[in-house]
Amino acid sequence: MKRFSFIWIAMFVLLTHSGVSSAQQPPAENPVDKIKAIQIQYLAQKLNLTADEAQKFWPVYNNYTQEVEQLIAERHQKKDPEKLANDNADDAARKNMDKELKYEKRMLDIKSRYSTEFQRVLPGRKAGMVFKSEREFRTMMINHLNTRRMDRMGQGGPRRRQ
């Protein structure tokens, strides 16, 4: 629980401090890189990797994230705003559905392949936690960012004194 609290505090400090410090000095690091660093720390803590496991796991995990990011980038590039004519609305909807299913299948293929790879370099219990830990991290980040957004909009409930 102590490590979990530390991660939350680290995320909060990194995400909120970057806006304050940027007015005083040039940004030192890309926010995306900061989030990735926090994610790596979170995964390492959740998986409780030994030195040997970490040495084998991180190269495989980096390849996995690179493939996933590449697939997501391709998806965003191929998203073209299709102008739907009334006659072709059903055809366009079918094409979009097919594109989405192909994307989901490719994502599943990547995850299936890397699930096997993770099992080769980690004990089964830890390998089974990789995707779950990623989901948990994303959920935490989304909740944190939503809370920050609500606070900025003045809808976050009572504010704490600083």
Side-chain angles (χ1 to χ4, degrees), residues 78-146:
K78 290 180 180 178
K79 271 192 175 179
D80 52 330
E82 292 188 24
K83 296 182 173 111
L84 302 176
N86 289 337
D87 303 349
N88 296 330
D90 287 337
D91 289 338
R94 280 188 200 98
K95 286 180 184 177
N96 285 337
M97 187 171 60
D98 288 343
K99 284 181 188 177
E100 185 65 21
L101 288 173
K102 286 179 185 174
Y103 165 79
E104 293 293 334
K105 183 184 181 316
R106 287 180 62 196
M107 183 64 78
L108 181 60
D109 290 345
I110 291 170
K111 286 187 175 193
S112 295
R113 187 174 67 239
Y114 278 96
S115 175
T116 304
E117 291 294 319
F118 294 144
Q119 290 175 40
R120 286 185 188 153
V121 298
L122 294 176
R125 174 181 50 82
K126 291 181 181 183
M129 291 176 55
V130 174
F131 297 129
K132 179 183 180 207
S133 298
E134 270 193 328
R135 278 192 310 275
E136 289 173 353
F137 180 79
R138 274 194 302 272
T139 300
M140 284 183 353
M141 286 301 298
I142 289 168
N143 290 340
H144 176 74
L145 294 173
N146 284 338

Side-chain angles (χ1 to χ4, degrees), residues 4-52:
F4 185 71
S5 297
F6 172 75
I7 291 171
W8 268 109
I9 291 169
M11 280 182 7
F12 179 76
V13 168
L14 286 174
L15 293 174
T16 57
H17 183 67
S18 65
V20 173
S21 66
S22 65
Q24 299 168 353
Q25 62 191 21
E29 204 175 330
N30 182 353
V32 172
D33 293 337
K34 288 181 183 181
I35 292 171
K36 284 183 180 182
I38 294 168
Q39 182 182 19
I40 288 169
Q41 183 181 10
Y42 180 82
L43 286 173
Q45 181 265 323
K46 287 296 270 191
L47 298 175
N48 195 22
L49 300 173
T50 65
D52 186 46

